[in-house]
Amino acid sequence: MQFSADELRDIFLKEGAGDIGFVEVGRKELSQELKDILRVYPETRTLVSVIKALNRESVQSQSVNIANEEFHRACDELSDICRKILRRLNSLGIRGIYTTYAFPSDLNRWPGKIWDISHKLIAIEAGLGHMGLNRLIIHPVYGNFLVLTTMLIDAEIDSYGQPLKNNPCIKCDLCIPVCPVGAISKDDKFDFMACFTHSYREALSGFQDWVEQMVSARTVGSYRSSFRDSETISIWQTLTFGYGYKCSYCMAVCPAGNNVKGKYIKQKDEYIKKTVTPLINKKEPVYVLAGSHAETVVKRNQNKEARYVRSPIRPTSVPNFLLGVRLAFNPEKAKGVRMAIRFVFTGKEEVTATVIIDGGKVDILEGIFGKTDLIVYADSESWIRFLNKEISLLRTILSRKIKTRGNPLLLKKFQDCLLIF
C-alpha cells in the first residue's frame, strides 16, 4: 500500500516540522548507508528527512553558551515533534522510528562511524538543501540555521524528493576567515582534525583526554598545568547542562537562505561589521595540535590563544588506523615528502593497504598497488598497541610482531606526516 506524500507532509508540518522530504530506501546514492539503515530498522521502506529552524540571532551571539542553549532546545523540540508524528503515523498503520540528531550515539563503534544515519546525505537526497563550504546543510529558506534528523518508516510513498538543482550556498566565503582553526578553504578542502579538536574539545576524545589527565596526575599542580580552573568548570557545565560546542561561527555568519540573504546583499559591509568581525576579534582560547595548520592560523590572530592538546584519535582497529591516516594527514609536515608504504596486517585482522604520500597529499589504496619504498608486516593487535603507545616499536620488532622491508626510517617520516601519533 502506498501513502500520499502530500498528506504525510501535511501531518509533519502541522506537528511543527520546519520542512521535510522523502527518500526511498533503495536509492543508489544511499548504498553505503543501507547496512546501517537496516540495522537500525530492518523494515525501512522510506527515509524522511526532518528539519527544525533555529533562532538565528541566538546562534550569531558572541556568547557561545547562548548558541549552545539554542542547539539543545531545538534538538529536544525536534525529537518531541518526531515522537508526536510517529503516534499520528501509527494510527494510519505506519510504523517506524526516529533517529537521534547527534547524541546519544553508538559509542561501541568509536572511533569509527558512531552515528546511525548520515542526516546530511538524506537531507540532500530529499531535496531539502545542499552542503555549503562550511560543511553544513543550507536550506533555500532557512539557510544553515537548522537542525535535522531522519525518520525511518515501513511505508512506501507515492512520490519522493530529489536533490535541488542549485546549491543555496552564495559563495560569500565568510565562513573561511571566521573559522578560528582554518578548517575551511576556498578549494573545498575541509580540515576535519582542526574542527574536531577545537569544537568538540569537551566531548568524545576531548573528554577522554580530561579523564586520563586527571587520573594520571600525581599532584594537583601537575593537573592544573594541563587544565585551567575555567576549563575544569567548563567540563562540569557540560556534564550538568549538556555538551557545548566551542565554536559554531561558520554557521553564525552564513547569509545564505531567503530569510537572511536579502539583508546581507543590501548591506554587506554592515553585516560583516556586526556579524563576522566580532567573532574574528573575540578573545578566546583555541584548542590545537602542535605542528598543525590550525596552530599556524591561531598564531596569526592576536585575539586567539593556542591551547595545545593531545591527539583526539586513538585507533582501535586497522580500519580505524587507515581512516585516521586520511583524517589526520598533515600537509604542513608532508611538504616535499614522496613515498609509498605497503602495510600487510595479519592475525586478528588481515588487511593489505598501500599508503602513498606525494605533493602534500595522501592516498590510501586497498591491496597491493605499484612499487613501494617500504613494506611493513605487522600483527594487527601489536600494531594498534604500538600506535597507542602501550608497547614500544623496539619491543614489537624484537618479538617479530612488526617487520619491515626497506628503509625503516621511512616509518618515522610517515608518522611525522600525521597528527595522531
Side-chain angles (χ1 to χ4, degrees), residues 348-365:
K348 187 176 180 180
E349 297 177 284
E350 296 185 356
V351 178
T352 299
T354 303
V355 178
I356 301 173
I357 298 176
D358 188 11
K361 299 179 180 180
V362 66
D363 197 9
I364 303 172
L365 305 169

Side-chain angles (χ1 to χ4, degrees), residues 94-287:
I94 300 174
R95 310 298 299 184
I97 65 168
Y98 69 92
T99 56
T100 60
Y101 164 75
F103 299 104
S105 292
D106 186 356
L107 294 179
N108 287 321
R109 302 199 291 175
W110 171 262
K113 182 177 180 288
I114 62 174
W115 55 94
D116 294 314
I117 306 295
S118 297
H119 301 311
K120 294 178 182 180
L121 171 63
I122 307 306
I124 291 171
E125 289 301 318
L128 296 187
H130 277 297
M131 199 92 76
L133 196 61
N134 57 7
R135 294 308 192 276
L136 298 173
I137 293 296
I138 300 180
H139 186 273
V141 176
Y142 304 120
N144 70 181
F145 295 97
L146 55 87
V147 290
L148 68 162
T149 190
T150 306
M151 291 181 64
L152 311 177
I153 59 177
D154 65 359
E156 294 183 353
I157 313 300
D158 61 7
S159 65
Y160 293 97
Q162 296 296 326
L164 298 177
K165 293 182 178 180
N166 298 310
N167 192 329
C169 178
I170 63 175
K171 306 299 182 183
C172 66
D173 294 340
L174 295 182
C175 55
I176 297 176
V178 82
C179 178
V181 293
I184 307 167
S185 59
K186 286 186 177 182
D187 60 7
D188 205 32
K189 292 181 180 178
F190 183 74
D191 190 336
F192 167 83
M193 287 293 292
C195 178
F196 183 75
T197 300
H198 175 59
S199 192
Y200 285 77
R201 177 56 188 159
E202 291 172 9
L204 301 172
S205 55
F207 179 80
Q208 180 174 280
D209 182 39
W210 171 67
V211 172
E212 292 179 354
Q213 293 271 15
M214 181 170 56
V215 300
S216 63
R218 294 187 177 183
T219 66
V220 172
S222 64
Y223 168 79
R224 288 178 178 169
S225 67
S226 298
F227 283 86
R228 297 169 176 168
D229 288 349
S230 60
E231 291 170 325
T232 301
I233 296 302
S234 183
I235 292 173
W236 164 82
Q237 180 169 263
T238 283
L239 292 172
T240 307
F241 294 99
Y243 163 67
Y245 299 97
K246 288 294 184 184
C247 176
S248 54
Y249 301 165
C250 61
M251 175 184 283
V253 303
C254 181
N258 294 339
N259 281 357
V260 64
K261 183 170 59 177
K263 179 181 177 181
Y264 167 72
I265 292 176
K266 291 178 181 179
Q267 299 176 307
K268 287 186 179 181
D269 291 342
E270 188 69 12
Y271 184 91
I272 292 173
K273 178 181 178 181
K274 289 185 175 181
T275 307
V276 183
T277 304
L279 296 177
I280 294 176
N281 294 337
K282 179 182 176 181
K283 293 184 179 297
E284 62 183 336
V286 179
Y287 299 91

Side-chain angles (χ1 to χ4, degrees), residues 1-8 22 46 155-161:
M1 178 180 178
Q2 285 191 338
F3 289 82
S4 167
D6 290 337
E7 291 179 6
L8 293 184
F22 301 104
T46 298
E156 294 183 353
I157 313 300
D158 61 7
S159 65
Y160 293 97

